[in-house]
Amino acid sequence: MGARKLALSDEILLSVEKPARYIGNEINMVKKDPAQVDVRFCMCFPDVYEIGMSHLGIQILYDMFNQWDDVYCERVYSPWVDLDQIMRKQHIPLFALETQEPIRNFDFLGITLQYEMCYTNILQVLDLSGIPLKAKERTMEDPFVIGGGPCSYNPEPIADFFDMFYIGEGETQYRRMMDEYKEWKKSGQDRVAFLKRAAQIPGIYVPMFYEASYNEDGTLADFQPIVQEAPKTVMKEVEMDMEHTYYPEKPLVPYIKVTQDRVVLEIQRGCIRGCRFCQAGVLYRPIRPRKLEFLKDRAIKMLESTGHEEITLSSLSSSDYKELPELVYWLIDECSKNGINIALPSLRIDAFSLDVMSKVQDVRKSSLTFAPEAGSQRMRNVINKGLTEENILNGAMDAFRGGWTRVKLYFMLGLPGETYDDIEEIAVLSDKIAREYYTIPKEERKGKVNIVTSTSIFVPKPFTPFQWARMNSREEALDKRNFLLGKVKSQLNAKSIKYNCHDADVSELEGVFARGDRRLNDVILQAYEDGCFYDAWTEYFKYDVWQKAFEDHGLTMDFYNDRERSEDELFPWDFIDCGVTKQFLLREYHRAKEAVVTPNCRQKCAGCGAARFGGGVCTEKREGGCV
């Protein structure tokens, strides 16, 4: 194979911020001889290296692909703005980290779609790679571009840029796709012939084989396949066997600090809670726990192979993992010997959690996080949060008694049915938590209490009960933020409360992309050509450029955000079956309007449709039976 030759000269590497983003060769990087494999696959996260390297999905697929002798999987991330300029000026093609070879030489470019605001970065990656931006313009010389991840559940706003999308979890069908590709390569047929083969693989959606038409009011009139190989409905792929599946034993370890600098142990997939704003809670149903022995085995192997000093337990709601106490107390024993920290995100604050956290955290430095999401009980019922004020105040009080003095609170503004009284309750609840602290006798307190209250703007997402809901405008969001700031300042303990809020401009565009249709492809293309990328980064976000792109194409953001959708409207994503039925989601939307709580999956089956996968929580014995 010879020595690796870097794609960038020393002169360029020394002139850019964090050159380690581009040289690869990290600990546990896989090395293969490209001449000895049949399929070269490049995995892309369309954001800066530090964020992409923290993504668990890529680590799992990278490990899985590279276990196959006939496939070599490499990686690429979005070059930061400094290198982007140099590559354009000097005509340097975008390259993979492992071999430093141009992306255009690969068979596949797989792009993970985690966040709508990365859409222009997808075009940056294609552009710098010299791959035609639109799928229909690609030739036999170009890789097949495939998208996956949560945003692929409404792929329509970016459908033109992808040859195909993989809907669902990657462990199940990629092996078949590689085999189909090898067969096709021998056949000498054209690109379309391979896409027709791919369209017949479960979970694969090939946009060019479908046609959309629109009503006079701009809503979708019809969406149909136009070739016989393409199915009318694409069913999501689900890995039901969480024990005998791929999970890395030797994850990649970067040389620079990345967002998640630790071993990530995924303890389960899915969630039983049914929060009505949460897309992940629907997409990853049913909840599927991993076996305790599997987790212990992987924890030890990953800590040994990486040298990381922290391990985090990953899931949408860790407290719902039935064997959590056994796992955590085992980890505490294992990790304390080697000075390894344990991070426990997404825990409910209860006696067990506080006991564990007091053992694994330095109480002086750390803060506790609560996510009430809404200030008033009525709104918490609307979103099916299943938390009472009493739960929140008791949890906070237990934490204060345990020595914590810092609490982070997360809320959303602009939830469906919200009033200004509900918003004021966010400030009131923050103050009540501070008051709890000051009921502790002065001599027992550890200084002042710090409450950090953060709000984000609610964005309705596909495949949630709120997919029919209207989204607040920028102006409304700004008004609500200012109103809340005023209310926080008027609280008794205002000095103990810090209020942070998210950018409303970015949220508005996120809302459009989340529920948009195919007509947005040209808007995104124009915005990119006019200089938009890294839109998720406030300093690079160009709202006026986006506005002009919408105007030039005769579209408005209001059409996508500023209306409640009718119950019989055809959605751009309705051709995807995520396992949860549209009837269930509509029923939940009606319950939200009446502020009625739906019990979680372990209390009672609500008949969402996910029981058809025949496993996970759906097969546990409980009330109600599965529908």
Side-chain angles (χ1 to χ4, degrees), residues 256-282:
I256 56 172
K257 187 158 177 46
V258 299
T259 327
Q260 297 267 350
D261 240 338
R262 53 184 79 106
V263 162
V264 180
L265 190 64
E266 183 189 42
I267 58 176
Q268 63 187 5
R269 267 188 210 161
C271 186
I272 60 172
R273 295 281 141 192
C275 297
R276 294 180 178 126
F277 57 83
C278 179
Q279 189 187 40
V282 174

PDB file of all heavy atoms in Angstrom, residues 256-282:
ATOM      1  N   ILE A 256      -8.079  15.752  18.346  1.00  0.00           N
ATOM      2  CA  ILE A 256      -8.460  17.054  18.905  1.00  0.00           C
ATOM      3  C   ILE A 256      -9.755  16.893  19.672  1.00  0.00           C
ATOM      4  O   ILE A 256     -10.472  15.904  19.496  1.00  0.00           O
ATOM      5  CB  ILE A 256      -8.629  18.146  17.808  1.00  0.00           C
ATOM      6  CG1 ILE A 256      -9.637  17.699  16.744  1.00  0.00           C
ATOM      7  CG2 ILE A 256      -7.303  18.528  17.201  1.00  0.00           C
ATOM      8  CD1 ILE A 256     -10.006  18.777  15.753  1.00  0.00           C
ATOM      9  N   LYS A 257     -10.065  17.869  20.498  1.00  0.00           N
ATOM     10  CA  LYS A 257     -11.274  17.781  21.317  1.00  0.00           C
ATOM     11  C   LYS A 257     -12.494  17.889  20.415  1.00  0.00           C
ATOM     12  O   LYS A 257     -12.590  18.788  19.594  1.00  0.00           O
ATOM     13  CB  LYS A 257     -11.274  18.911  22.352  1.00  0.00           C
ATOM     14  CG  LYS A 257     -12.420  18.756  23.342  1.00  0.00           C
ATOM     15  CD  LYS A 257     -12.155  19.501  24.633  1.00  0.00           C
ATOM     16  CE  LYS A 257     -13.342  19.397  25.565  1.00  0.00           C
ATOM     17  NZ  LYS A 257     -13.912  18.064  25.721  1.00  0.00           N
ATOM     18  N   VAL A 258     -13.413  16.935  20.560  1.00  0.00           N
ATOM     19  CA  VAL A 258     -14.655  16.987  19.783  1.00  0.00           C
ATOM     20  C   VAL A 258     -15.820  17.132  20.765  1.00  0.00           C
ATOM     21  O   VAL A 258     -15.635  17.091  21.986  1.00  0.00           O
ATOM     22  CB  VAL A 258     -14.830  15.743  18.868  1.00  0.00           C
ATOM     23  CG1 VAL A 258     -13.704  15.657  17.862  1.00  0.00           C
ATOM     24  CG2 VAL A 258     -14.933  14.461  19.681  1.00  0.00           C
ATOM     25  N   THR A 259     -17.023  17.323  20.221  1.00  0.00           N
ATOM     26  CA  THR A 259     -18.167  17.616  21.087  1.00  0.00           C
ATOM     27  C   THR A 259     -18.411  16.513  22.113  1.00  0.00           C
ATOM     28  O   THR A 259     -18.731  16.783  23.257  1.00  0.00           O
ATOM     29  CB  THR A 259     -19.444  17.797  20.228  1.00  0.00           C
ATOM     30  OG1 THR A 259     -19.066  18.379  18.983  1.00  0.00           O
ATOM     31  CG2 THR A 259     -20.425  18.732  20.891  1.00  0.00           C
ATOM     32  N   GLN A 260     -18.295  15.262  21.673  1.00  0.00           N
ATOM     33  CA  GLN A 260     -18.531  14.126  22.599  1.00  0.00           C
ATOM     34  C   GLN A 260     -17.222  13.356  22.750  1.00  0.00           C
ATOM     35  O   GLN A 260     -17.005  12.382  22.054  1.00  0.00           O
ATOM     36  CB  GLN A 260     -19.590  13.180  22.015  1.00  0.00           C
ATOM     37  CG  GLN A 260     -20.949  13.791  21.843  1.00  0.00           C
ATOM     38  CD  GLN A 260     -21.850  13.547  23.047  1.00  0.00           C
ATOM     39  OE1 GLN A 260     -21.536  12.774  23.926  1.00  0.00           O
ATOM     40  NE2 GLN A 260     -22.973  14.211  23.091  1.00  0.00           N
ATOM     41  N   ASP A 261     -16.355  13.815  23.645  1.00  0.00           N
ATOM     42  CA  ASP A 261     -15.049  13.166  23.799  1.00  0.00           C
ATOM     43  C   ASP A 261     -15.132  12.024  24.798  1.00  0.00           C
ATOM     44  O   ASP A 261     -14.593  12.115  25.888  1.00  0.00           O
ATOM     45  CB  ASP A 261     -14.032  14.200  24.295  1.00  0.00           C
ATOM     46  CG  ASP A 261     -12.899  14.353  23.308  1.00  0.00           C
ATOM     47  OD1 ASP A 261     -12.711  13.411  22.523  1.00  0.00           O
ATOM     48  OD2 ASP A 261     -12.210  15.381  23.303  1.00  0.00           O
ATOM     49  N   ARG A 262     -15.851  10.974  24.452  1.00  0.00           N
ATOM     50  CA  ARG A 262     -16.060   9.898  25.426  1.00  0.00           C
ATOM     51  C   ARG A 262     -16.569   8.651  24.723  1.00  0.00           C
ATOM     52  O   ARG A 262     -16.975   8.712  23.567  1.00  0.00           O
ATOM     53  CB  ARG A 262     -17.074  10.345  26.477  1.00  0.00           C
ATOM     54  CG  ARG A 262     -18.369  10.865  25.883  1.00  0.00           C
ATOM     55  CD  ARG A 262     -19.309  11.382  26.968  1.00  0.00           C
ATOM     56  NE  ARG A 262     -18.940  12.701  27.431  1.00  0.00           N
ATOM     57  CZ  ARG A 262     -19.610  13.814  27.117  1.00  0.00           C
ATOM     58  NH1 ARG A 262     -20.681  13.751  26.353  1.00  0.00           N
ATOM     59  NH2 ARG A 262     -19.225  14.973  27.573  1.00  0.00           N
ATOM     60  N   VAL A 263     -16.563   7.553  25.449  1.00  0.00           N
ATOM     61  CA  VAL A 263     -17.161   6.318  24.951  1.00  0.00           C
ATOM     62  C   VAL A 263     -18.681   6.456  25.057  1.00  0.00           C
ATOM     63  O   VAL A 263     -19.197   6.904  26.079  1.00  0.00           O
ATOM     64  CB  VAL A 263     -16.678   5.114  25.792  1.00  0.00           C
ATOM     65  CG1 VAL A 263     -17.588   3.911  25.615  1.00  0.00           C
ATOM     66  CG2 VAL A 263     -15.249   4.750  25.416  1.00  0.00           C
ATOM     67  N   VAL A 264     -19.384   6.079  23.986  1.00  0.00           N
ATOM     68  CA  VAL A 264     -20.847   6.163  24.012  1.00  0.00           C
ATOM     69  C   VAL A 264     -21.417   4.745  24.009  1.00  0.00           C
ATOM     70  O   VAL A 264     -21.149   3.955  23.109  1.00  0.00           O
ATOM     71  CB  VAL A 264     -21.383   6.941  22.786  1.00  0.00           C
ATOM     72  CG1 VAL A 264     -22.906   7.018  22.834  1.00  0.00           C
ATOM     73  CG2 VAL A 264     -20.804   8.357  22.772  1.00  0.00           C
ATOM     74  N   LEU A 265     -22.204   4.450  25.039  1.00  0.00           N
ATOM     75  CA  LEU A 265     -22.814   3.130  25.173  1.00  0.00           C
ATOM     76  C   LEU A 265     -24.326   3.288  24.982  1.00  0.00           C
ATOM     77  O   LEU A 265     -25.007   3.857  25.842  1.00  0.00           O
ATOM     78  CB  LEU A 265     -22.495   2.568  26.565  1.00  0.00           C
ATOM     79  CG  LEU A 265     -22.828   1.112  26.825  1.00  0.00           C
ATOM     80  CD1 LEU A 265     -21.994   0.196  25.931  1.00  0.00           C
ATOM     81  CD2 LEU A 265     -22.571   0.759  28.292  1.00  0.00           C
ATOM     82  N   GLU A 266     -24.814   2.802  23.852  1.00  0.00           N
ATOM     83  CA  GLU A 266     -26.257   2.913  23.573  1.00  0.00           C
ATOM     84  C   GLU A 266     -26.977   1.787  24.318  1.00  0.00           C
ATOM     85  O   GLU A 266     -26.847   0.626  23.965  1.00  0.00           O
ATOM     86  CB  GLU A 266     -26.507   2.802  22.065  1.00  0.00           C
ATOM     87  CG  GLU A 266     -27.964   2.986  21.702  1.00  0.00           C
ATOM     88  CD  GLU A 266     -28.258   2.664  20.229  1.00  0.00           C
ATOM     89  OE1 GLU A 266     -27.715   1.661  19.708  1.00  0.00           O
ATOM     90  OE2 GLU A 266     -29.025   3.415  19.618  1.00  0.00           O
ATOM     91  N   ILE A 267     -27.757   2.164  25.353  1.00  0.00           N
ATOM     92  CA  ILE A 267     -28.356   1.121  26.197  1.00  0.00           C
ATOM     93  C   ILE A 267     -29.685   0.614  25.633  1.00  0.00           C
ATOM     94  O   ILE A 267     -30.103  -0.499  25.886  1.00  0.00           O
ATOM     95  CB  ILE A 267     -28.518   1.587  27.663  1.00  0.00           C
ATOM     96  CG1 ILE A 267     -29.365   2.854  27.773  1.00  0.00           C
ATOM     97  CG2 ILE A 267     -27.159   1.797  28.300  1.00  0.00           C
ATOM     98  CD1 ILE A 267     -29.623   3.294  29.217  1.00  0.00           C
ATOM     99  N   GLN A 268     -30.364   1.459  24.865  1.00  0.00           N
ATOM    100  CA  GLN A 268     -31.613   1.009  24.234  1.00  0.00           C
ATOM    101  C   GLN A 268     -31.964   1.971  23.105  1.00  0.00           C
ATOM    102  O   GLN A 268     -31.436   3.075  23.025  1.00  0.00           O
ATOM    103  CB  GLN A 268     -32.758   0.949  25.249  1.00  0.00           C
ATOM    104  CG  GLN A 268     -33.121   2.283  25.858  1.00  0.00           C
ATOM    105  CD  GLN A 268     -34.156   2.151  26.980  1.00  0.00           C
ATOM    106  OE1 GLN A 268     -34.533   1.066  27.374  1.00  0.00           O
ATOM    107  NE2 GLN A 268     -34.613   3.277  27.496  1.00  0.00           N
ATOM    108  N   ARG A 269     -32.853   1.528  22.227  1.00  0.00           N
ATOM    109  CA  ARG A 269     -33.403   2.400  21.184  1.00  0.00           C
ATOM    110  C   ARG A 269     -34.870   2.604  21.441  1.00  0.00           C
ATOM    111  O   ARG A 269     -35.558   1.688  21.875  1.00  0.00           O
ATOM    112  CB  ARG A 269     -33.222   1.767  19.811  1.00  0.00           C
ATOM    113  CG  ARG A 269     -31.954   2.236  19.185  1.00  0.00           C
ATOM    114  CD  ARG A 269     -31.748   1.829  17.751  1.00  0.00           C
ATOM    115  NE  ARG A 269     -30.312   1.722  17.572  1.00  0.00           N
ATOM    116  CZ  ARG A 269     -29.724   1.077  16.609  1.00  0.00           C
ATOM    117  NH1 ARG A 269     -30.453   0.452  15.710  1.00  0.00           N
ATOM    118  NH2 ARG A 269     -28.420   1.029  16.525  1.00  0.00           N
ATOM    119  N   GLY A 270     -35.371   3.779  21.095  1.00  0.00           N
ATOM    120  CA  GLY A 270     -36.794   4.035  21.259  1.00  0.00           C
ATOM    121  C   GLY A 270     -37.110   4.663  22.601  1.00  0.00           C
ATOM    122  O   GLY A 270     -36.219   4.906  23.423  1.00  0.00           O
ATOM    123  N   CYS A 271     -38.394   4.928  22.814  1.00  0.00           N
ATOM    124  CA  CYS A 271     -38.831   5.601  24.037  1.00  0.00           C
ATOM    125  C   CYS A 271     -40.294   5.229  24.295  1.00  0.00           C
ATOM    126  O   CYS A 271     -41.065   5.059  23.348  1.00  0.00           O
ATOM    127  CB  CYS A 271     -38.693   7.116  23.860  1.00  0.00           C
ATOM    128  SG  CYS A 271     -39.048   8.050  25.346  1.00  0.00           S
ATOM    129  N   ILE A 272     -40.662   5.114  25.569  1.00  0.00           N
ATOM    130  CA  ILE A 272     -42.059   4.742  25.888  1.00  0.00           C
ATOM    131  C   ILE A 272     -42.915   5.964  26.210  1.00  0.00           C
ATOM    132  O   ILE A 272     -44.112   5.847  26.423  1.00  0.00           O
ATOM    133  CB  ILE A 272     -42.125   3.783  27.100  1.00  0.00           C
ATOM    134  CG1 ILE A 272     -41.526   4.445  28.347  1.00  0.00           C
ATOM    135  CG2 ILE A 272     -41.473   2.457  26.792  1.00  0.00           C
ATOM    136  CD1 ILE A 272     -41.719   3.658  29.642  1.00  0.00           C
ATOM    137  N   ARG A 273     -42.302   7.149  26.235  1.00  0.00           N
ATOM    138  CA  ARG A 273     -42.966   8.300  26.856  1.00  0.00           C
ATOM    139  C   ARG A 273     -44.061   8.945  25.995  1.00  0.00           C
ATOM    140  O   ARG A 273     -45.038   9.452  26.516  1.00  0.00           O
ATOM    141  CB  ARG A 273     -41.933   9.361  27.224  1.00  0.00           C
ATOM    142  CG  ARG A 273     -40.979   8.886  28.292  1.00  0.00           C
ATOM    143  CD  ARG A 273     -41.597   8.954  29.666  1.00  0.00           C
ATOM    144  NE  ARG A 273     -41.208   7.792  30.479  1.00  0.00           N
ATOM    145  CZ  ARG A 273     -41.782   7.482  31.620  1.00  0.00           C
ATOM    146  NH1 ARG A 273     -42.787   8.193  32.079  1.00  0.00           N
ATOM    147  NH2 ARG A 273     -41.378   6.426  32.287  1.00  0.00           N
ATOM    148  N   GLY A 274     -43.851   9.012  24.691  1.00  0.00           N
ATOM    149  CA  GLY A 274     -44.896   9.577  23.827  1.00  0.00           C
ATOM    150  C   GLY A 274     -45.096  11.078  23.957  1.00  0.00           C
ATOM    151  O   GLY A 274     -46.221  11.580  23.858  1.00  0.00           O
ATOM    152  N   CYS A 275     -43.996  11.839  24.198  1.00  0.00           N
ATOM    153  CA  CYS A 275     -44.116  13.308  24.182  1.00  0.00           C
ATOM    154  C   CYS A 275     -44.530  13.728  22.771  1.00  0.00           C
ATOM    155  O   CYS A 275     -43.942  13.263  21.787  1.00  0.00           O
ATOM    156  CB  CYS A 275     -42.791  13.961  24.548  1.00  0.00           C
ATOM    157  SG  CYS A 275     -42.251  13.574  26.225  1.00  0.00           S
ATOM    158  N   ARG A 276     -45.518  14.602  22.685  1.00  0.00           N
ATOM    159  CA  ARG A 276     -46.144  14.857  21.369  1.00  0.00           C
ATOM    160  C   ARG A 276     -45.308  15.746  20.448  1.00  0.00           C
ATOM    161  O   ARG A 276     -45.600  15.844  19.256  1.00  0.00           O
ATOM    162  CB  ARG A 276     -47.540  15.454  21.591  1.00  0.00           C
ATOM    163  CG  ARG A 276     -48.484  14.457  22.251  1.00  0.00           C
ATOM    164  CD  ARG A 276     -49.883  14.990  22.494  1.00  0.00           C
ATOM    165  NE  ARG A 276     -50.713  13.949  23.082  1.00  0.00           N
ATOM    166  CZ  ARG A 276     -51.408  14.078  24.218  1.00  0.00           C
ATOM    167  NH1 ARG A 276     -51.377  15.224  24.883  1.00  0.00           N
ATOM    168  NH2 ARG A 276     -52.118  13.074  24.687  1.00  0.00           N
ATOM    169  N   PHE A 277     -44.289  16.394  20.988  1.00  0.00           N
ATOM    170  CA  PHE A 277     -43.428  17.242  20.152  1.00  0.00           C
ATOM    171  C   PHE A 277     -42.236  16.463  19.621  1.00  0.00           C
ATOM    172  O   PHE A 277     -41.506  16.941  18.764  1.00  0.00           O
ATOM    173  CB  PHE A 277     -42.912  18.438  20.973  1.00  0.00           C
ATOM    174  CG  PHE A 277     -42.158  18.008  22.208  1.00  0.00           C
ATOM    175  CD1 PHE A 277     -40.818  17.656  22.146  1.00  0.00           C
ATOM    176  CD2 PHE A 277     -42.807  17.919  23.429  1.00  0.00           C
ATOM    177  CE1 PHE A 277     -40.142  17.228  23.281  1.00  0.00           C
ATOM    178  CE2 PHE A 277     -42.134  17.496  24.575  1.00  0.00           C
ATOM    179  CZ  PHE A 277     -40.792  17.150  24.487  1.00  0.00           C
ATOM    180  N   CYS A 278     -42.017  15.248  20.147  1.00  0.00           N
ATOM    181  CA  CYS A 278     -40.741  14.568  19.934  1.00  0.00           C
ATOM    182  C   CYS A 278     -40.786  13.602  18.757  1.00  0.00           C
ATOM    183  O   CYS A 278     -41.464  12.579  18.808  1.00  0.00           O
ATOM    184  CB  CYS A 278     -40.351  13.823  21.218  1.00  0.00           C
ATOM    185  SG  CYS A 278     -38.803  12.914  21.047  1.00  0.00           S
ATOM    186  N   GLN A 279     -40.013  13.921  17.720  1.00  0.00           N
ATOM    187  CA  GLN A 279     -39.986  13.071  16.525  1.00  0.00           C
ATOM    188  C   GLN A 279     -39.247  11.759  16.795  1.00  0.00           C
ATOM    189  O   GLN A 279     -39.700  10.695  16.387  1.00  0.00           O
ATOM    190  CB  GLN A 279     -39.300  13.822  15.383  1.00  0.00           C
ATOM    191  CG  GLN A 279     -39.407  13.110  14.052  1.00  0.00           C
ATOM    192  CD  GLN A 279     -38.589  13.768  12.968  1.00  0.00           C
ATOM    193  OE1 GLN A 279     -37.465  14.219  13.199  1.00  0.00           O
ATOM    194  NE2 GLN A 279     -39.146  13.854  11.781  1.00  0.00           N
ATOM    195  N   ALA A 280     -38.134  11.835  17.520  1.00  0.00           N
ATOM    196  CA  ALA A 280     -37.339  10.618  17.778  1.00  0.00           C
ATOM    197  C   ALA A 280     -38.163   9.569  18.514  1.00  0.00           C
ATOM    198  O   ALA A 280     -38.036   8.372  18.260  1.00  0.00           O
ATOM    199  CB  ALA A 280     -36.088  10.976  18.583  1.00  0.00           C
ATOM    200  N   GLY A 281     -39.037  10.031  19.417  1.00  0.00           N
ATOM    201  CA  GLY A 281     -39.865   9.102  20.186  1.00  0.00           C
ATOM    202  C   GLY A 281     -40.820   8.303  19.326  1.00  0.00           C
ATOM    203  O   GLY A 281     -41.245   7.203  19.698  1.00  0.00           O
ATOM    204  N   VAL A 282     -41.150   8.841  18.136  1.00  0.00           N
ATOM    205  CA  VAL A 282     -42.009   8.108  17.192  1.00  0.00           C
ATOM    206  C   VAL A 282     -41.154   7.285  16.226  1.00  0.00           C
ATOM    207  O   VAL A 282     -41.396   6.100  16.010  1.00  0.00           O
ATOM    208  CB  VAL A 282     -42.914   9.084  16.401  1.00  0.00           C
ATOM    209  CG1 VAL A 282     -43.696   8.338  15.321  1.00  0.00           C
ATOM    210  CG2 VAL A 282     -43.876   9.810  17.350  1.00  0.00           C
TER     211      VAL A 282
END
